[in-house]
């Protein structure tokens, strides 16, 4: 008799959600997590703490730029960095404790420690071996290293160190204009740092819709971020308080250097599978170091499953959560499913950036017969009233059937607005379905409706 029906290794958004759903489906469940707190990278050193700092720094920016215009006069607030970090830590603690509560409520056992899999059906934590009919690996990812760049989490930091800096740097160099680089670059720029982003490609946030990339970079430049594009970072040389970054411009191979108080390395993440014993078990991996799984998230070793950042697909907390719920249903004998065509992506800068489905570039590449409906937030009354009228909603729909194929938003509350389009896409809706849906006035969501109208006879307010 196994001790458990399911043991999940990893207590991040993939693992803890999976554990709760397994327990709800009547399976005796344990979740192994060695960090000392549940919630994984996302809650402890990723999504949640960065959102706290984004929120706080955005409030400061609002006070500095818009309060006086609204008749709110007086001295702008100054930054108490220690208190801001304390607020961030409180946000993290509240959330991680919340998961502990949910585990107790759902009778999920939290086994504290790092798990290895000595054989199918067995998980070892410390000296103890636990048995389970099913093992689900949800061990997430870690920052990818960059040759020539040594991270000390003091002067040269990953996103983890960037959330714990001793002080706000005067000069911050960010390597990589991806999601992490631009979110944290925005935070420190708003807090007064001179921020320079060095990016290998000629565009920011690779893979996003081209029009959004251009608008996003333009807005960030206007906010004060500097960009060195088409530049490959060669090395960093750090002392205890400063660093020099050497990069090569791709267009002419010329070498340059830039000084910084802090360097943030944000050049991607890689699956974290160290110490699990996957080699000895013969678990198949992909060429990119991910665990290879089938449509039911099962590896080639029966009874061992994997979800989240350790497998293929976007490294997003909500993708991992969806897989966690779906694999729980699979092991409970149900039919868990994830629609990988409708997974939103959000960048929590101000304005926010959000997307779902195909980009225009992908549709062109596929030779798809599509149409574009676009609406600028300048035509949205609520956005104008709130000093948030930069950006647009862009909906891509099939030219013949009008079915929505993708959507790209840069603007206020984009990360929330995208979900009405996600729901529409889940239901196979046409742009007309959205356009015919009454949207309350005055809301940002009217911009989504107007973009849908733009796929047909045209928007009203532009
Ligand atoms: P990323 O993959 O989003 O961006 C990395 C960037 O670094 C790319 O633009 C790449 O071209 C550039 N780069 C690589 N090597 C370079 C070099 N030598 N010199 C200059 N530039 C170089 O990676 P990032 O931002 O580190 O994020 C990691 C993962 O975490 C992503 O999968 C992301 O989706 C996820 N994440 C998601 C968040 C969200 O959904 N809001 C927030 C934070 C992270």
């Amino acid at each position: 008799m196994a001790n458990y029906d399911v043991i999940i290794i990893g207590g991040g958004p993939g693992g803890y959600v999976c554990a709760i759903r397994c327990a709800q489906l009547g399976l005796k469940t344990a979740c192994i997590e060695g960090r000392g707190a549940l919630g994984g990278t996302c809650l402890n050193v990723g999504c949640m703490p960065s959102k706290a700092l984004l929120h706080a720094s955005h409030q400061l920016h609002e006070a500095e730029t818009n309060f006086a215009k609204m008749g709110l006069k007086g001295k702008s607030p100054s930054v108490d960095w220690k208190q801001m970090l304390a607020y961030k830590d409180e946000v993290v603690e509240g959330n991680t404790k919340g998961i502990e509560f949910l585990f107790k409520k759902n009778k999920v056992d939290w086994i504290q420690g790092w798990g290895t899999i000595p054989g199918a059906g067995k998980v070892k934590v410390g000296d103890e071996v636990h048995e389970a009919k099913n093992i689900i690996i949800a061990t997430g990812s870690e920052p990818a290293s960059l040759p020539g760049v040594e991270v000390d989490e003091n002067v040269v930091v990953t996103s983890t160190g960037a959330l714990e800096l001793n002080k706000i740097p005067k000069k911050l160099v960010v390597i990589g204009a991806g999601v992490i680089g631009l979110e944290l670059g925005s935070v420190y720029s708003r807090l007064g740092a001179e921020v320079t982003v060095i990016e290998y490609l000629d565009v920011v946030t690779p893979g996003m819709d081209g029009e959004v990339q251009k608008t996003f970079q333009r807005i960030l430049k206007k906010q004060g971020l500097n960009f060195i594009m088409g530049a490959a970072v060669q090395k960093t040389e750090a002392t205890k308080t400063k660093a020099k970054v050497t990069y090569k411009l791709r267009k002419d191979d010329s070498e340059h250097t830039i000084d910084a108080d802090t360097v943030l390395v944000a050049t991607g993440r890689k699956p974290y599978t160290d110490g699990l014993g996957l080699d000895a078990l013969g678990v198949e991996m992909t060429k990119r170091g991910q665990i290879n799984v089938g449509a039911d998230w099962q590896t080639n070793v029966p009874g061992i499953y994997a979800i989240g950042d350790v497998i293929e697909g976007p490294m997003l907390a909500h993708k991992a959560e969806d897989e966690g719920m779906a694999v729980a249903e699979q092991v409970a004998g149900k039919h868990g499913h994830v629609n990988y065509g409708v997974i939103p992506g959000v960048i929590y800068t101000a304005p926010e950036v959000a997307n779902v489905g195909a980009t225009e570039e992908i549709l062109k590449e596929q030779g798809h017969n599509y149409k574009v409906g676009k609406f600028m937030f300048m035509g949205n009354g609520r956005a104008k009233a709130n000093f948030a009228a930069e950006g647009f909603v862009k909906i891509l729909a099939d030219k013949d059937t009008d079915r929505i194929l993708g959507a790209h938003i840069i603007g206020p509350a984009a990360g929330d607005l995208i979900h009405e389009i996600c729901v529409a896409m889940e239901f196979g809706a046409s742009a007309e379905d959205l356009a015919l849906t009454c949207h309350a006035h005055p809301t940002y969501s009217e911009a989504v409706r107007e973009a849908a109208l733009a796929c047909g006879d045209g928007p009203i307010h532009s």
Side-chain angles (χ1 to χ4, degrees):
M1 255 293 269
N3 306 43
Y4 290 100
D5 293 313
V6 191
I7 290 182
I8 295 131
I9 308 180
Y16 87 74
V17 167
C18 179
I20 291 172
R21 179 56 98 226
C22 284
Q24 287 172 340
L25 294 171
L27 303 171
K28 187 163 165 42
T29 308
C31 180
I32 298 173
E33 172 58 63
R35 192 189 282 271
L38 295 166
T41 299
C42 175
L43 269 79
N44 288 283
V45 288
C47 330
M48 289 319 298
S50 64
K51 255 81 279 175
L53 295 183
L54 278 157
H55 179 64
S57 61
H58 181 58
Q59 299 302 310
L60 175 69
H61 175 80
E62 283 292 289
E64 285 168 347
T65 53
N66 293 328
F67 275 20
K69 293 182 212 161
M70 294 185 282
L72 299 168
K73 299 247 165 126
K75 226 172 115 236
S76 282
S78 59
V79 179
D80 178 344
W81 181 232
K82 260 200 174 148
Q83 175 57 31
M84 201 179 280
L85 290 180
Y87 149 68
K88 175 212 68 169
D89 292 340
E90 216 174 288
V91 169
V92 169
E93 200 184 325
N95 279 285
T96 56
K97 288 272 181 269
I99 304 171
E100 272 182 54
F101 164 78
L102 290 173
F103 270 17
K104 281 190 190 126
K105 185 177 158 200
N106 288 286
K107 302 196 171 45
V108 173
D109 289 345
W110 172 15
I111 301 172
Q112 299 207 29
W114 303 102
T116 49
I117 312 173
K122 289 187 173 60
V123 183
K124 194 169 172 214
V125 184
D127 294 331
E128 241 182 300
V129 177
H130 303 269
E131 293 191 357
K133 289 180 203 143
N134 304 283
I135 297 168
I136 297 168
I137 301 168
T139 43
S141 60
E142 60 177 346
S145 55
L146 191 60
V149 175
E150 200 177 316
V151 170
D152 56 25
E153 294 297 10
N154 177 37
V155 171
V156 181
V157 300
T158 64
S159 52
T160 306
L163 295 166
E164 292 287 352
L165 295 181
N166 299 330
K167 57 178 194 254
I168 297 162
K170 282 204 177 73
K171 284 188 177 186
L172 171 69
V173 168
V174 176
I175 311 177
V179 187
I180 293 181
L182 298 183
E183 284 187 355
L184 289 172
S186 289
V187 165
Y188 286 105
S189 168
R190 287 181 210 147
L191 295 176
E194 184 189 319
V195 177
T196 304
V197 182
I198 306 179
E199 167 57 47
Y200 181 80
L201 299 173
D202 296 320
V203 291
V204 300
T205 53
M208 272 193 357
D209 190 87
E211 233 177 322
V212 172
Q213 287 174 329
K214 281 195 198 105
T215 308
F216 190 28
Q217 193 183 354
R218 182 178 52 73
I219 292 173
L220 291 172
K221 270 188 190 164
K222 214 171 87 186
Q223 291 177 356
L225 274 78
N226 305 306
F227 286 91
I228 301 172
M229 304 301 287
V233 167
Q234 308 290 301
K235 60 175 177 183
T236 53
E237 292 155 281
T239 65
K240 275 192 179 135
T241 52
K242 292 222 174 303
K244 187 164 83 176
V245 181
T246 306
Y247 61 90
K248 224 178 209 180
L249 288 182
R250 289 199 295 133
K251 62 177 182 204
D252 56 12
D253 253 4
S254 58
E255 207 167 85
H256 305 260
T257 59
I258 182 169
D259 293 328
D261 302 305
T262 304
V263 179
L264 166 61
V265 189
T267 49
R269 298 180 62 86
K270 60 173 190 203
Y272 182 71
T273 54
D274 291 1
L276 286 172
L278 299 185
D279 258 6
L281 278 167
V283 171
E284 266 173 28
M285 308 293 282
T286 68
K287 280 189 193 130
R288 302 178 64 198
Q290 301 146 323
I291 298 174
N292 208 6
V293 292
D296 60 353
W297 298 279
Q298 194 158 196
T299 67
N300 60 312
V301 181
I304 300 184
Y305 299 75
I307 56 165
D309 287 8
V310 286
I311 66 167
E312 203 189 345
M315 287 184 168
L316 297 170
H318 44 280
K319 175 254 191 192
E321 287 179 31
D322 277 27
E323 289 172 345
M325 286 192 279
V327 78
E329 295 196 4
Q330 290 282 350
V331 297
K334 298 181 159 225
H335 301 284
H337 171 75
V338 174
N339 181 359
Y340 286 103
V342 186
I343 294 191
V346 179
I347 307 178
Y348 299 88
T349 43
E352 288 183 349
V353 181
N355 61 77
V356 64
T359 61
E360 202 171 341
E361 287 71 24
I362 284 178
L363 294 178
K364 272 190 192 140
E365 210 178 284
Q366 292 172 345
H368 208 115
N369 200 13
Y370 68 95
K371 57 187 171 178
V372 182
K374 196 171 153 193
F375 186 77
M376 308 299 288
F377 276 101
M378 265 315 284
N380 179 274
R382 184 73 180 277
K384 281 210 300 218
N386 293 359
F387 305 107
E390 267 180 321
F392 55 82
V393 180
K394 173 175 172 180
I395 294 177
L396 302 164
D398 186 283
K399 202 162 196 171
D400 302 320
T401 65
D402 196 36
R403 188 180 173 135
I404 301 170
L405 305 168
H408 306 275
I409 308 178
I410 176 161
D416 289 299
L417 294 179
I418 198 73
H419 294 97
E420 82 165 280
I421 302 170
C422 294
V423 173
M425 286 176 74
E426 278 288 349
F427 282 83
S430 63
E432 190 186 35
D433 289 325
L434 264 188
L436 290 176
T437 304
C438 183
H439 285 63
H441 176 75
T443 60
Y444 297 141
S445 74
E446 287 173 288
V448 174
R449 183 194 204 175
E450 293 267 24
L453 280 165
C455 289
D457 293 334
I460 304 296
H461 297 91
S462 77

